Amino acid sequence: QDFKPAVIFDLGGKFDRSFNQASFEGAERFKEEFGVDYREFEIQSDAQREQALRRFAQQGNNPIVVAGFAQASAMEAVAAEFPDTDFTIIDAVIDLPNVRSVVFKEHEGSYLVGMLAAMASESGTVGFVGGMDIGLIRKFACGYVQGVKAVNPDATVIQNMTGTTGAAWNDPVKGGELARNQIDQGADVVYHAAGGTGRGVLQAAADNGALGIGVDSNQNYLHPGEVLTSMLKRVDVAVYDAFKDAQDGNFSAGVQVLGLAENGVGYAVDENNEDLLTDEMKTAVEDAKAKIISGEIEVHDYTTDDSCPVS
Amino acid sequence: MKSMPRWVDLFLIPAINVFLAFLVAGLVVMFIGEDPLHAMRIMIQGSLGSDYGIGYTLFYTTSFIFTGLCVAVAFHASIFNIGGEGQAGVAGIGVAIVALTLDQTHWLLVLPLAVLGAGLFGAAWAAVPAYLNAKRGSHIVITTIMFNYIAAALLIYVLNTYLKVPGSMAPESRRFAGGAHIPRLDQMAEWIGLELTRTPANISLFLALLACLLVWLLIWRTRFGYELRAFGFSEPAAVYAGMAPFRIIMITMLISGALAGMMAINVVLGELQRLNLDSVQGAGFVGIAVALMGRSHPVGVILAALLFGVLYQGGAELAFEIPAIPSQMILTIQALVILFTGSLENMVRFPMERLFLFLRLRKEAR
Amino acid sequence: MSVAEKTAGQPETAAPSAPAIELIGISKAFGPVQANKDISMQVARGTIHGIVGENGAGKSTLMSILYGFYRADKGEIRIGGVPTQIHNSDDAIRAGIGMVHQHFMLVQNFTVLENVVLGAEDGALLKPSLAKARKLLTELAHEYELEVDPDAVIHDLAVGFQQRVEILKALYRHADILILDEPTGVLTPAEADHLFRILEGLRREGKTIILITHKLREIMAITDTVSVMRRGEMTATVKTADTSPAELAELMVGRQVLLRVDKKPAQVGQTLMQIRGLRVTDRDGIERLKGIDLDLRAGEILGVAGVAGNGQSALLEVLGGITAASGGSVTLNGQALDLTAHADAGERREQGIAHVPEDRHRLGLIMSFSEWENSCFGYHDRPQYQKSRLLMDRRAMRDDAREKIEKYDIRPPSCDLAAANFSGGNQQKIVIAREVESDPDVLLVGQPTRGVDIGAIEFIHNEIVHLRDQGKAVLLVSVELDEILGLSDRIVVMFDGRISGERLPSETDQNELGLLMAGIDPKEGAA
Amino acid sequence: MDLAELFQLFDSTLRNATPLLLACLAGLFSERSGIFDIGLEGKMLAAAFAAAAVAAWAAAPYVADPFPGQLSGLGLGWTAAILGVLAGIFASILMALLHGFASITLRGNQLISGVAINFLAAGATVLIGESLFSMGGQTPQLSGNARFSGLDLPLAETLGGIPILGPLYRDVISGQVILVYVALLAVPLTAWVLFNTRFGLRLRAVGENPGAVDTAGVSVVRMRYSAVLIAGILCGIAGAYLSMGTSAAGFVKDMTAGRGFIALAALIFAKWRPYPALGACLLFGLLEAIGSKYQNVDIGLFVIPVQFMQALPYILTVVILAGFIGKAIPPKAGGVPYVKER
Ligand SMILES: Nc1ncnc2c1ncn2[C@@H]1O[C@H](COP(=O)(O)OP(=O)(O)OP(=O)(O)O)[C@@H](O)[C@H]1O
Ligand SMILES: Nc1ncnc2c1ncn2[C@@H]1O[C@H](COP(=O)(O)OP(=O)(O)OP(=O)(O)O)[C@@H](O)[C@H]1O
Ligand SMILES: [Mg+2]
Ligand SMILES: [Mg+2]
């Protein structure tokens, strides 16, 4: 039986330079390394979720990796129908014997970039632009604010959400406008968790002498020297690992929670931003990272109780 | 006086137009470097070639029938309701409330109540624009556009605040329990001993067909339909005939909104079995195209909805089979179909009319 | 001075070498409809040439071809003897042709000046054109008695003035040939007389005029020659002096037509409707009716004369339940009518008031509805048309429509055709049939024969008289004094929202009514 | 709220309003001529894409022998941006001509044509973009010469000292992207053309009564095509502004995000008149600016939900429309094909 991995991207598409792109990159890396081709599908509408999953499963694809919490209920239905297929879902938890659920501790990564933001900020005001006001994005925001406040309890964090329709994830014009608003109000570092909208956020920051912070993938290269860092969410690793484990026959179901300890989240340092991060900043962040891993610092996860201790 | 036989008008010309649309779409597929005939085969096969494909096609068709009827009914009264998107979205809340409350009972109880809930919420969302139009003369196109945006905001708020599962990141309600699961077509087929592949197509299809029948009755057989059409053609004349514009606008929009709302039965209750943010997925806008192409006639709406269902499902298959063809290809093909069958249709009609006139004159001469 | 007297002095223009207009073998089909069949016609320079024919005979089509609005399928046009290609109106204008269309071609929200200048501007900028036009307009107005306020907006102007603008448009473009398509259909007699004076002036200047009209009186009074059209063909062209109205009517319709109303003396009964102090203020806050007192009695036709815009329309609409009154009272059979905005036209119909509206296109019919759907329009909620609480009884509606078609000789006799496919006269018959057959106590009729050919006029007049003879009351509003005088048993004249006088038809004439319509009461003046 | 904050709000308003205004004026020309245009969105989107794609290509350095996937461009200077705008206009005009062909020449349904154009633009931009750049339909991020940056008007700093007006000039008026000024200038220009030229007179007439224009010897078809073409140009600039003049700095699929519909709303709001159109677009821009600036309003008792603030512009539009505007009467012949013979 030949090995036929498949990946399904969520609305937004594999080139969103963010979340989906990260899963795409993971799959690509696997393909490059092992020369194994994979099937892929970009979701266009809700009804296609189940359809795509079932189809891939029927055609004998295995493992099947899907990214995005919105896929959860579809996965729940389909995975039960195909007990011999290995499934992986990212950003949601499904309790089935053939499903691996990968969730990330975005709040931990966001905490670290929040600290960096607070340290890089001269004005004591930083910004956050989210795509839509939903739990996941609040989780990013809440971790970020905690990080900022940890460094500078008096800091102000301006938070904005882009919109209420699907367009919110693809509206760089609005994203840029929100970022400019925040910069006008004194923010000099702006973090985004807004998919395609973030492109405008980073550009506005670069244009107006502020620093941007990328998300999901490493976005530092977009504006070298003007993106402070990126909050990495190693979706690519999750995808890669799922493929690899299945290939090696090591696929394991169950919940994987990837936080700082597992290197599932983190902040990006590369040649594009090394001048922006001082040693002092790095030490402080690494220190916090160690403490979070050890449990000494506990970063609150918004989605556990739908509230954030700081704002 | 008609210059062409009816079958030419109703079937031949649309068929030629669809053909032309696909011809151009084929060129686009070639531009991408794929074989258009192969692509075409996949689309047809994938949407109509198996019970699986047909199931999905019918599922999409059901939604489009509802949103198409929504636009069509209002159109007969000369009201351009482009708020189907919002009305269907808000109706989802109504369905969710019913289903979440009663999902320990039986679908035979849930379905009628959910229809009621969807209808009420959809109608309510159409009521404000209707009222403002009828009483204050607000332009219904603007207000319904605005209400689409407001609906999106309301939906997030309701999901975040009331319906979301605590501790979940997703703005979704919990999944409805089995008591609220309405029968899918494959399940219904099982009742009569037929085995079909599982697809989301569900009993709402029959609801949609029933709605078509009712709309047809409403518009061409009832007194209100008579008034609605009269009002649509001429408001002063309607007033002269003793009809009340306020009443007509309100009732029409309530019906229109309720019809859009029915879409939530198909999607929220039938397919998703939970409420999420984007259950409507643009079907409200597709409904405009469906109504326009279907000439606002229920039968036309069914056919146009079916065509769009085929495009959606066939398009998904295309994307499965030929990953090089991006999903936007479907959007492009849809655009071409709308263009050729809708606004460019005279390209075929005019020569056709001349042809038939010529044939007739020749026959008369002989 | 009447038109006839003026015409006595014939124009002294020399016989022109070539006819001003020569149409040779013109054919035009609209899809399957052959509107013009191989039509040839000559019009001599400096003459007024009349064209008559039934509704839908193809008169407007022929003239629109000459004006480049439609393109002929076959045939040749010669202007002043020169074969001329007329592909569009621009070509026609260049050839010196101007046309006043049956339905005015004016931009309603433009000023007079803007309408005149449109298409004939002098340069890319508007200002110089407008200034020049203003000057020329004053001159033209002076020369031809065509005064209009150049800055008035069209929709504020009475139809008569709108028509002047159309004529000015043509003259502004130096038209030598002027086509007028049913110009008097919407004019009062005074306005029509004025128009004819203008036409005479133009003829004197050597201009050539083609006049389409349904009114044979006008043909006889002013034209030099007249052509008759029937079903797309030119059936005759005669010198006006050599013919008679009866002959023309017969040529048009193909049978003898009675040109005057034949009615018995009225059997007047009790007062059916009593109107007291009726006031109406329109949406713009203008008071249209300023206190009307009227009694309408059974078995009589009460004619309301007046220049358009003096409140007759408002009177019909308020009585018909379309608009609300701002004051006063109306009783019907002793019962007060609800004159507030709560009442609607349906209620009035239930109370026995039927209404033939002045504008059949705008109010009376739904053009895209089939004949049978129009045939119960306004009465659609009557029990005989219902199958159940919700459903209508289509069979009953059609049967009913067929009966009316038969009884009223509506042609073509098909109840499935859309109203738009009937000629104006037959459309009017549909409305009349519907309202008369509803068996009302009071019939309100506005402009019952506007734009209708003489065959149909005869029929419609007979129906109205017939209703009266059944003991019903008829309130007839018309700008046609002939019609008012011929039909009414009693005449009131409206001026500026008030009744300016009441007369018996036997004791008055057009002159006296004309004065009353202008707000002058000759009797009071004498007293 | 202090003055600086107010000016920031205005500044944002101006940027928000620019694409709306251009699209709104585009709609004004088209609809004044009697051609309904719900395809503003699609035209803008097509233009945004074409502008970004061409600008990116024109500004990219020339590479003699590019490796697969590498973009070899023209290496142009500031002309790259101009080229981009022209490309945007061109793309938008193509769409406009399609609309014209469907609704003028073929006398088809204008609403359907508009809907089709919106779909077509949404699909084709990504399709073409993907085959050109293989970035999922996005264009490369624009930088430097490929995009517009703020233009400092003369004396901005000098006059900045004058109370109120100085900062207003310096912070709001000055420093905008050139296309913002183009949009603002388009308003008086439109008004002038509409009410002071022969073209304007005919344009207004053809939307009210095409028969009158026809019988006056003016070609209805030509007038309407001109109008549709102008609409194409204006939408082209609007689209170019979105992808080249804002922080988007490039094309992202569906990036017009409903602005075409808002522009349409503004047009109706303005009752098809140029200066009110400016007012309406500024109002929408301001509402959007307020909605995004004050998202988290805590009024003591409770926190107003973000969603309410986000919906506020739309709610206010409805309220204003219901309260103050009255009936908007469109050009009389709007939406109806000019048919002489049936
Ligand atoms: N625009 C049109 N499209 C199609 N058919 C038309 C059109 N105008 C007129 N016709 C046809 O041409 C015939 C002649 O119409 P036309 O308007 O010339 O009559 P007419 O003699 O002017 O009538 P009327 O006295 O009522 O004005 C009609 O019977 C009709 O069938
Ligand atoms: N656009 C059209 N398409 C088809 N038939 C038409 C059209 N316009 C007119 N007709 C036909 O032309 C005939 C006369 O039309 P026309 O408009 O001249 O009526 P009319 O008698 O002049 O009405 P009115 O007196 O109210 O102006 C009718 O039989 C009608 O069916
Ligand atoms: Mg005529
Ligand atoms: Mg006529």
Side-chain angles (χ1 to χ4, degrees), chain A residues 11 39 41 44 46-48 51-52 54-55 69-70 73 91 132-136 139 164-165 303 306, chain B residues 52 56 59-60 152 156 160 164 167 169-171 175 198 271 274 276-278 281 313 317 319-321 327:
Chain A
L11 296 167
R39 296 286 304 272
F41 185 71
Q44 283 301 305
D46 258 315
Q48 289 179 350
Q51 188 180 7
R54 189 169 291 117
R55 232 194 116 91
F69 59 73
S73 47
D91 271 3
M132 207 185 261
D133 182 24
I134 56 176
L136 176 67
K139 187 176 174 186
T164 53
T165 61
T303 54
D306 287 353
Chain B
Y52 162 83
Y56 270 96
F59 168 71
Y60 293 121
I156 295 197
N160 270 348
K164 190 172 87 86
M169 293 186 289
R175 203 182 175 101
R198 179 194 162 126
E271 197 245 340
R274 70 195 191 287
N276 71 7
L277 265 189
D278 36 22
Q281 293 283 346
Q313 167 56 15
E317 289 301 313
F320 282 130
E321 296 296 330
S327 39

Side-chain angles (χ1 to χ4, degrees), chain A residues 133-154:
Chain A
D133 182 24
I134 56 176
L136 176 67
I137 299 304
R138 293 265 155 179
K139 187 176 174 186
F140 278 88
C142 183
Y144 177 68
V145 178
Q146 290 176 68
V148 172
K149 300 276 172 161
V151 171
N152 176 5
D154 300 328

Side-chain angles (χ1 to χ4, degrees), chain C residues 96-107:
Chain C
I97 304 172
M99 178 159 175
V100 177
H101 292 264
Q102 187 173 355
H103 304 283
F104 295 155
M105 293 294 186
L106 294 171
V107 182

Side-chain angles (χ1 to χ4, degrees), chain C residues 28 30 67 69-70 89-90 93 101 104-110 114 118-119 121 123-126 173, chain D residues 192 195-202 204-205 208-209 211-218 332 338 340-342:
Chain C
K28 172 75 188 172
F30 293 111
Y67 189 63
F69 190 69
Y70 298 137
S89 301
D90 195 31
I93 293 167
H101 292 264
F104 295 155
M105 293 294 186
L106 294 171
V107 182
Q108 287 293 319
N109 59 358
F110 276 21
E114 286 173 323
L118 180 68
E121 307 88 345
L125 293 188
L126 223 45
R173 278 148 234 253
Chain D
W192 182 79
F195 298 110
N196 290 302
T197 68
R198 172 175 64 189
F199 178 78
L201 183 77
R202 293 175 174 190
R204 283 181 289 137
E208 288 291 326
N209 184 355
V213 175
D214 192 4
T215 53
V218 179
K332 223 190 249 127
Y338 180 52
K340 289 207 279 195
E341 311 182 12
R342 260 174 290 165

Side-chain angles (χ1 to χ4, degrees), chain B residues 19-308:
Chain B
F19 174 76
L20 284 178
F22 277 98
L23 204 69
V24 177
L27 293 179
V28 182
V29 172
M30 265 162 75
F31 164 80
I32 294 179
E34 298 292 329
D35 176 6
L37 283 180
H38 181 56
M40 183 79 190
R41 207 171 316 124
I42 292 174
M43 280 195 71
I44 304 284
Q45 193 80 45
S47 56
L48 299 172
S50 66
D51 56 343
Y52 162 83
I54 293 175
Y56 270 96
T57 301
L58 289 180
F59 168 71
Y60 293 121
T61 302
T62 306
S63 289
F64 298 152
I65 288 178
F66 284 129
T67 53
L69 286 179
C70 150
V71 180
V73 166
F75 230 86
H76 279 285
S78 259
I79 300 171
F80 194 24
N81 175 15
I82 43 183
E85 193 82 7
Q87 289 145 16
V90 171
I93 301 177
V95 171
I97 292 174
V98 171
L100 290 171
T101 322
L102 297 174
D103 59 359
Q104 301 304 328
T105 61
H106 193 267
W107 68 265
L108 280 173
L109 177 67
V110 173
L111 183 59
L113 287 176
V115 167
L116 202 68
L120 281 179
F121 275 66
W125 207 246
V128 184
Y131 182 84
L132 293 177
N133 176 259
K135 270 277 158 345
R136 317 259 352 174
S138 305
H139 203 289
I140 201 127
V141 171
I142 310 189
T143 32
T144 49
I145 289 179
M146 296 300 143
F147 265 69
N148 284 341
Y149 289 106
I150 301 172
L154 178 73
L155 204 58
I156 295 197
Y157 178 73
V158 169
L159 277 170
N160 270 348
T161 321
Y162 301 108
L163 297 180
K164 190 172 87 86
V165 182
S168 140
M169 293 186 289
E172 297 181 341
S173 77
R174 76 170 163 78
R175 203 182 175 101
F176 310 146
H181 292 187
I182 53 174
R184 294 188 310 271
L185 287 192
D186 52 283
Q187 291 169 326
M188 295 171 77
E190 228 166 80
W191 299 343
I192 55 168
L194 220 66
E195 203 168 314
L196 292 183
T197 315
R198 179 194 162 126
T199 60
N202 58 67
I203 195 169
S204 323
L205 174 64
F206 299 104
L207 201 62
L209 295 176
L210 181 69
C212 285
L213 180 69
L214 290 178
V215 165
W216 178 79
L217 277 173
L218 171 82
I219 293 182
W220 282 285
R221 288 292 182 273
T222 66
R223 196 162 70 237
F224 180 74
Y226 177 89
E227 300 194 349
L228 178 156
R229 284 181 296 131
F231 174 80
F233 287 121
S234 165
E235 180 169 348
V239 172
Y240 157 80
M243 305 165 182
F246 177 77
R247 179 173 155 268
I248 296 178
I249 293 174
M250 285 309 290
I251 298 182
T252 305
M253 278 298 283
L254 292 179
I255 293 173
S256 176
L259 280 167
M262 289 305 125
M263 184 199 148
I265 302 286
N266 185 40
V267 178
V268 176
L269 198 59
E271 197 245 340
L272 297 172
Q273 294 170 349
R274 70 195 191 287
L275 182 65
N276 71 7
L277 265 189
D278 36 22
S279 62
V280 186
Q281 293 283 346
F285 290 114
V286 174
I288 299 173
V290 166
L292 289 170
M293 281 177 56
R295 302 288 182 273
S296 297
H297 191 288
V299 175
V301 166
I302 293 177
L303 292 177
L306 193 62
L307 178 62
F308 275 85

